[in-house]
């Protein structure tokens, strides 16, 4: 069974600080997606990375897929209160018709 | 374009009862997937329907079932509820069931089993 481990599970920082959250596995994924979920809402897709070593930027958010396609990171520069939410990663499982395997999430709180 | 809608948003049931949750996908989307979300567990895949046919199924007991109608609306049913079924149930729709197709999630139905 493939697993995706996210770390840290919880992070509370001040506005303006930088942070990185991680998504790790011992298995190879065909792709890796990052979502943000706010209270009372479903997850919203932020980005999909498919190539080992790929880096994508979305304003202050930088996403990286590991060279071996087993891990990914999300870096936020100058965090803002609007970045608060649950960040979830999900990997495409090549052995299960690309079914998504989900991490448990990182709960991020940005304090003003 | 309206997003994915789920009804009801909140539900309280007692053990042994059954429940039916409803999901209306984005207009034009033919694939609907259901997930169970619990704190610390992430999203667990229940099943996916495309054109009224179940395409994939997760590792859940037979008490969990679903169906999809010709208008792509979907329902999931949980019979003989257990305390551990308390969770947020999310529905996601996509245009097709192709791998890596972008999924759009509804707000979820929060089920509490007492």
């Amino acid at each position: 069974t493939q697993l995706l481990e996210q770390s840290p599970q919880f992070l509370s920082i001040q506005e303006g600080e930088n942070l990185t959250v991680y998504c790790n596995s011992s298995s190879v994924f065909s792709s890796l997606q990052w979502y943000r979920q706010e209270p009372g809402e479903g997850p919203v897709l932020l980005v999909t990375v498919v190539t080992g070593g790929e880096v994508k930027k979305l304003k202050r958010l930088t996403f990286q897929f590991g060279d071996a396609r087993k891990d990914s990171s999300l870096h936020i520069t100058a965090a803002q209160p609007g970045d608060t939410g649950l960040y979830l990663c999900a990997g495409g499982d090549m052995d299960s018709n690309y079914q998504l395997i989900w991490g448990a999430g990182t709960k991020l709180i940005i304090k003003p | 374009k309206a997003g994915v809608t789920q009804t009801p948003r909140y539900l309280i049931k007692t053990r042994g009862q059954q429940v039916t949750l409803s999901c209306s996908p984005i207009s034009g989307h033919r694939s609907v997937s259901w997930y169970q979300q619990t704190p610390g567990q992430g999203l667990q895949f229940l099943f996916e329907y495309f054109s009224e046919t179940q395409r994939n199924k997760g590792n859940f007991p037979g008490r969990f079932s679903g169906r999809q109608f010709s208008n792509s609306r979907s329902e999931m049913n949980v019979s003989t509820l257990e305390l551990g079924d308390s969770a947020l149930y999310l529905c996601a729709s996509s245009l097709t069931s192709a791998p890596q197709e972008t999924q759009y999630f509804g707000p979820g139905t929060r089920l509490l089993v007492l």
Side-chain angles (χ1 to χ4, degrees):
Chain A
T1 303
Q2 292 191 325
L3 292 174
L4 269 174
E5 295 188 0
Q6 289 191 242
S7 61
Q9 291 183 320
F10 179 78
L11 187 58
S12 178
I13 62 172
Q14 292 292 142
E15 180 178 2
E17 294 183 10
N18 301 331
L19 67 108
T20 302
V21 298
Y22 300 91
C23 178
N24 295 301
S25 175
S26 58
S27 302
V28 177
F29 290 98
S30 60
S31 64
L32 205 294
Q33 298 181 337
W34 283 93
Y35 293 76
R36 180 170 65 217
Q37 183 178 20
E38 299 184 23
E41 301 293 331
V44 175
L45 179 65
L46 296 173
V47 76
T48 301
V49 285
V50 297
T51 306
E54 183 175 1
V55 177
K56 282 193 174 179
K57 292 190 175 184
L58 186 65
K59 297 184 180 177
R60 294 173 296 98
L61 279 59
T62 302
F63 305 86
Q64 184 164 9
F65 201 11
D67 291 340
R69 292 186 291 145
K70 293 183 179 180
D71 54 80
S72 181
S73 64
L74 158 59
H75 182 79
I76 301 180
T77 304
Q80 299 178 1
D83 297 327
T84 292
L86 179 68
Y87 288 80
L88 297 158
C89 65
D93 182 1
M94 293 182 287
D95 296 331
S96 299
N97 195 30
Y98 301 96
Q99 199 56 247
L100 288 177
I101 307 296
W102 293 79
T106 293
K107 188 169 184 179
L108 176 63
I109 295 177
I110 309 299
K111 295 176 285 187
Chain B
K1 187 182 270 191
V4 178
T5 58
Q6 292 187 245
T7 57
R9 293 293 308 275
Y10 304 93
L11 206 50
I12 300 176
K13 293 286 188 178
T14 56
R15 279 182 301 174
Q17 287 187 310
Q18 74 165 13
V19 66
T20 299
L21 312 182
S22 180
C23 171
S24 293
I26 292 172
S27 178
H29 285 194
R30 296 170 63 191
S31 174
V32 173
S33 296
W34 288 90
Y35 295 87
Q36 181 193 68
Q37 184 178 26
T38 53
Q41 291 279 333
L43 275 70
Q44 305 292 318
F45 172 73
L46 282 155
F47 26 67
E48 180 201 1
Y49 286 87
F50 180 77
S51 293
E52 302 178 66
T53 301
Q54 187 180 91
R55 296 291 298 267
N56 285 299
K57 188 177 190 305
N59 189 26
F60 277 81
R63 299 185 297 106
F64 292 81
S65 63
R67 59 178 176 168
Q68 187 180 33
F69 302 96
S70 58
N71 61 358
S72 294
R73 190 177 69 86
S74 178
E75 290 181 346
M76 68 163 279
N77 183 275
V78 187
S79 62
T80 319
L81 283 165
E82 300 177 0
L83 296 179
D85 296 333
S86 294
L88 180 67
Y89 289 89
L90 292 162
C91 157
S93 78
S94 56
L95 271 171
T96 72
S97 64
Q100 302 177 32
E101 183 79 55
T102 298
Q103 294 186 81
Y104 297 86
F105 285 84
T109 293
R110 186 165 295 281
L111 172 65
L112 177 62
V113 182
L114 301 175

